[in-house]
């Protein structure tokens, strides 16, 4: 029987939501303060997901300026009804829901509409389209009487599909099965005339769990499924490779199977760096309700493929970006808004130059990064582009040119957990203008210079190797040199707090508004499984 490897979307892709239209599946995940926001993926087998675009790709849709990296766009739900795709999402500030938005599109690849503000409290909004065509909005919020009911409440209101406004009375649906922690991430499904409410409880960390309730009427009352939690790894020991499992969304396949996407993490020695990832779990419907992972009772790294799937090829190759396309690849993100005016692609022209692997390329081709006055610690939009780290073992390399004239001017490679917690390997200059490569950490906003070496050229290859224990930073200039290693847990969510995983970034800082100093990135390479090997 063919199998696939979990997670199906590695790296920071939390709070997955999925829907199907015909043979096509669409999935959306949270993006926090990264821009563009709300990445959408397409699949035919639920295992291989291709980036399709983003729901939020214009700053006019949502302003993320000033937000902490882990605030911003949280836990969207994607649904399809009569030719229209709907996405509902919360904009969080200060780790709380602030505004709930609804976006629509005829084509999930976009364009997506400007947002409609919904009059909704709380977080984790969802939509359910009933057989009669009515649409029901659910979300979670603080309960009015937490000492009686527990801290969280799932609630529902009808969404008028003409006016795109919530209408009619608010229905309190359920307070959860365990009630010790917030109940969140609600989704409603209907099966054989019964409404099933699936939720998450226990918080998104170790006690995360999938729980359920059911009702004969969409607006409730809902009664707790006594089997809750239906899926959790809270009881598993340290040897379990996948933890924090929860936040499920269900989808039926054309072949009649049901699968759940859930979030989970892969900790090593108690810490995880890649963020919350998307895992795919089989579900079986029984008269008692959905049974998650009926064979194993838990999420597995290797799982049987969806019915009818042939051997599943999950891509894991080296990705080399020479920035020679008309637009950036979908894996690149900036912080809180577009980097227009700071980062640009140049297709080249001009003389040939040796690239890192000996190829002849246009001297100008690549990415131009205008050094920005905003540091990576800012809550604005620094000159920074990043992609997710998706493998604990990986090597990232980039060839950077910068004719720095002062130590304040720098450009290079960042290992970025958040704006308060990151490391940079920078090409810069000392006070006399001699090129230097400097390794710096920032923790809780405080910068520490770990190492600096003088280099003979103002163009170098900067590299970081990561494995289970460290991130090791190197410069490949002359004979090459290692600047230092930083323990992996430094970049972990457990150490930094928040909701995101590590991103690998290219950046340039130290410019002034009048000084247009530019760095030039000739290429960037991400090689999974490469750390510790020569290359
Ligand atoms: C998400 C919620 C959660 O909205 O984390 O702890 C939030 N739980 O379900 C951000 O991913």
């Amino acid at each position: 029987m063919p199998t696939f490897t979990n997670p199906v979307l590695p790296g920071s892709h939390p709070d997955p939501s999925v829907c199907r239209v015909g043979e096509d599946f669409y999935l959306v995940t949270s993006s926090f303060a990264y821009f563009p926001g709300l990445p959408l993926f397409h699949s035919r087998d639920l295992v291989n997901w291709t980036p399709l675009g983003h729901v939020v790709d214009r700053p006019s849709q949502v302003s993320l300026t000033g937000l902490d990296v882990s605030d911003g766009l949280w836990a969207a739900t994607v649904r399809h009804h009569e030719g229209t795709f709907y996405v509902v999402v919360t904009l969080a500030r200060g780790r709380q829901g602030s505004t709930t938005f609804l976006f629509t599109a005829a084509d999930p690849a976009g364009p997506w509409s400007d947002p409609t503000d919904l009059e909704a409290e709380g977080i984790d909004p969802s939509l359910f389209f009933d057989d009669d065509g009515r649409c029901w909005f659910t979300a979670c919020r603080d309960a009015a009487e937490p000492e009686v009911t527990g801290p969280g409440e799932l609630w529902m209101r009808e969404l008028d599909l003409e006016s795109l406004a919530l209408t009619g009375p608010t229905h309190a649906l359920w307070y959860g099965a365990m009630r010790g922690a917030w109940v969140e991430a609600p989704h409603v499904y209907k099966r054989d005339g019964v409404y099933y409410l699936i939720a998450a409880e226990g918080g998104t960390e170790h006690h995360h769990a999938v729980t359920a309730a059911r009702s004969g009427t969409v607006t409730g009352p809902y009664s707790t499924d006594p089997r809750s939690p239906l899926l959790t790894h809270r009881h598993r020991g340290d040897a379990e490779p996948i933890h924090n499992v929860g936040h499920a969304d269900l989808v039926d396949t054309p072949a009649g199977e049901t699968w759940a996407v859930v979030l989970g993490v892969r900790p090593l020695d108690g810490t995880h760096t890649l963020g919350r990832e998307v895992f795919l779990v089989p579900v079986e419907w029984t008269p008692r309700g959905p049974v998650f992972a009926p064979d194993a009772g838990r999420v597995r790294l290797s799982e049987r493929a969806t019915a009818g799937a042939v051997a599943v090829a999950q891509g894991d190759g080296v990705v080399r970006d020479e920035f020679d396309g008309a637009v950036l690849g979908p894996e690149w993100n900036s912080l809180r808004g577009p980097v227009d005016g700071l980062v640009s692609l140049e297709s080249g022209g001009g003389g040939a130059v040796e690239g890192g692997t000996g190829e002849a390329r246009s001297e100008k081709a690549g990415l131009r990064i205008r050094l920005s006055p905003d540091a990576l610690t800012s809550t604005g939009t620094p000159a920074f582009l990043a992609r997710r780290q998706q493998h604990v073992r990986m090597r990232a390399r980039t060839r950077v040119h910068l004719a720095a004239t002062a130590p304040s001017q720098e450009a290079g490679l960042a290992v970025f957990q958040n704006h308060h917690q990151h490391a940079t390997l920078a090409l810069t200059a000392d006070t006399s203008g001699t090129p230097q490569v400097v390794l710096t950490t920032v923790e809780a906003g405080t910068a520490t210079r770990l190492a600096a070496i003088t280099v003979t050229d103002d163009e170098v290859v900067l590299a970081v190797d990561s494995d289970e224990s460290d991130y090791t930073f190197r410069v490949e200039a002359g004979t090459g040199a290692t600047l230092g290693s930083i323990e992996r847990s430094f970049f972990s969510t457990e150490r930094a707090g928040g909701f995101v995983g590590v991103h690998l970034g290219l950046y340039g800082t130290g410019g002034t508004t009048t000084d247009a100093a530019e760095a030039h990135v000739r290429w960037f390479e991400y090689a999974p499984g490469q750390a510790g090997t020569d290359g």
Side-chain angles (χ1 to χ4, degrees):
M1 179 182 291
T3 58
F4 67 86
T5 302
N6 263 321
V8 291
L9 261 185
S12 189
H13 290 105
D15 312 322
S17 173
V18 64
C19 72
R20 176 173 68 88
V21 186
E23 306 223 303
D24 299 296
F25 298 98
Y26 301 96
L27 183 140
V28 67
T29 66
S30 297
S31 53
F32 306 95
Y34 283 98
F35 182 90
L38 303 181
L40 263 174
F41 300 85
H42 169 259
S43 176
R44 280 280 173 97
D45 60 9
L46 290 169
V47 171
N48 289 281
W49 292 96
T50 310
L52 203 58
H54 291 80
V55 176
V56 174
D57 62 1
R58 318 181 287 280
S60 57
Q61 288 169 296
V62 178
S63 171
L64 300 168
T65 302
L67 294 181
D68 188 280
V69 171
S70 282
D71 284 331
L73 296 168
W74 281 13
T77 295
V78 61
R79 294 291 183 257
H80 176 265
H81 179 71
E82 292 187 348
T84 301
F85 288 86
Y86 295 81
V87 164
V88 279
V89 67
T90 307
L91 180 74
R93 293 175 192 280
R95 302 290 193 274
Q96 288 191 338
S98 70
T99 318
T100 303
F101 294 124
L102 170 68
F103 298 88
T104 57
D107 179 348
W112 283 83
S113 69
D114 285 333
T116 302
D117 290 17
L118 297 181
E119 192 197 323
E121 264 186 89
I123 62 167
D124 294 1
S126 181
L127 297 177
F128 167 67
F129 291 89
D130 208 343
D131 308 331
D132 58 5
R134 291 171 81 178
C135 179
W136 298 93
F137 173 95
T138 57
C140 59
R141 65 183 180 188
D142 289 330
E145 295 181 283
E147 58 295 334
V148 179
T149 60
E153 176 182 271
L154 302 185
W155 63 277
M156 175 182 273
R157 261 184 101 184
E158 187 164 8
L159 177 72
D160 182 313
L161 293 174
E162 289 297 313
S163 62
L164 297 183
L166 298 182
T167 177
T170 299
H171 305 273
L173 299 183
W174 192 46
Y175 297 92
M178 273 103 73
R179 305 200 171 188
W182 252 56
V183 56
E184 56 192 15
H187 294 299
V188 174
Y189 312 90
K190 190 176 190 179
R191 193 93 183 177
D192 299 330
V194 178
Y195 295 91
Y196 291 90
L197 179 58
I198 305 288
E201 289 184 54
T204 197
E205 293 164 1
H206 191 72
H207 296 128
H208 210 197
V210 179
T211 59
R214 65 155 93 192
S215 175
T217 314
V218 67
T219 53
Y222 281 81
S223 53
T224 298
D225 183 332
R227 299 173 303 142
S228 299
L230 301 191
L231 182 70
T232 186
H233 283 196
R234 53 167 62 182
H235 59 299
R236 307 278 306 163
D238 289 345
E240 166 61 53
I242 308 167
H243 284 272
N244 305 12
V245 165
H247 207 118
D249 196 10
L250 305 185
V251 69
D252 295 334
T253 70
E257 292 185 324
T258 300
W259 290 79
V261 287
V262 299
L263 72 78
V265 302
R266 292 180 287 165
L268 293 167
D269 299 327
T271 66
H272 75 282
T273 41
L274 303 185
R276 294 172 295 163
E277 309 178 290
V278 181
F279 293 80
L280 183 64
V281 190
V283 174
E284 188 178 294
W285 280 95
T286 73
R288 291 178 294 142
V291 175
F292 287 74
D295 296 342
R298 64 188 171 89
V299 184
R300 295 189 283 204
L301 289 177
S302 176
E303 186 53 78
R304 72 162 177 87
T306 44
V310 281
V312 185
Q314 288 173 275
D316 241 1
V318 176
V319 182
R320 182 178 166 98
D321 199 333
E322 306 207 334
F323 305 107
D324 49 5
V327 291
L328 279 169
E331 69 275 30
W332 292 105
N333 304 281
S334 52
L335 285 166
R336 307 179 189 90
V339 279
D340 302 348
L342 291 170
V343 178
S344 55
L345 289 166
E346 285 208 18
S347 55
V353 71
E354 280 289 286
T357 52
E359 79 282 30
R361 299 190 51 223
S362 152
E363 186 169 359
K364 284 192 182 159
L367 197 68
R368 298 238 159 226
I369 303 183
R370 184 176 163 167
L371 306 192
S372 104
D374 274 337
L376 298 186
T377 47
S378 86
T379 54
T381 297
F384 174 73
L385 269 185
R387 56 153 291 153
R388 292 164 180 82
Q389 183 182 352
Q390 297 181 290
H391 308 79
V392 168
R393 280 184 166 258
M394 64 92 213
R395 166 171 292 175
R397 296 164 74 232
T398 183
R399 188 174 180 103
V400 181
H401 169 253
L402 173 68
T405 52
S408 58
Q409 296 183 327
E410 59 179 68
L413 195 57
V415 177
F416 193 80
Q417 159 57 233
N418 66 34
H419 53 300
H420 297 305
Q421 187 92 13
H422 52 262
T424 54
L425 184 65
L427 177 60
T428 177
D430 65 16
T431 45
S432 62
T434 306
Q436 272 203 325
V437 174
V438 177
L439 175 62
T440 306
T441 56
V442 170
E443 177 156 36
T446 302
T448 308
R449 175 187 270 228
L450 295 188
I453 62 165
T454 298
V455 286
T456 51
D457 200 352
D458 58 11
E459 178 158 335
V460 291
V461 173
L462 302 172
V464 56
D465 289 349
S466 92
D467 64 15
E468 292 76 0
S469 50
D470 300 295
Y471 287 73
T472 299
F473 295 82
R474 298 181 292 111
V475 56
E476 298 176 6
T479 53
T482 297
L483 278 92
S485 289
I486 299 170
E487 74 272 18
R488 188 186 51 79
S489 61
F490 178 87
F491 300 101
S492 67
T493 305
E494 286 76 9
R495 178 118 157 214
F499 291 135
V500 294
V502 170
H503 285 60
L504 302 164
L506 299 167
Y507 78 100
T509 61
T512 64
T513 39
T514 48
D515 161 12
E518 278 187 345
H520 185 188
V521 178
R522 295 199 189 281
W523 48 258
F524 172 88
E525 202 174 80
Y526 177 85
Q530 293 289 306
T533 59
D534 290 324

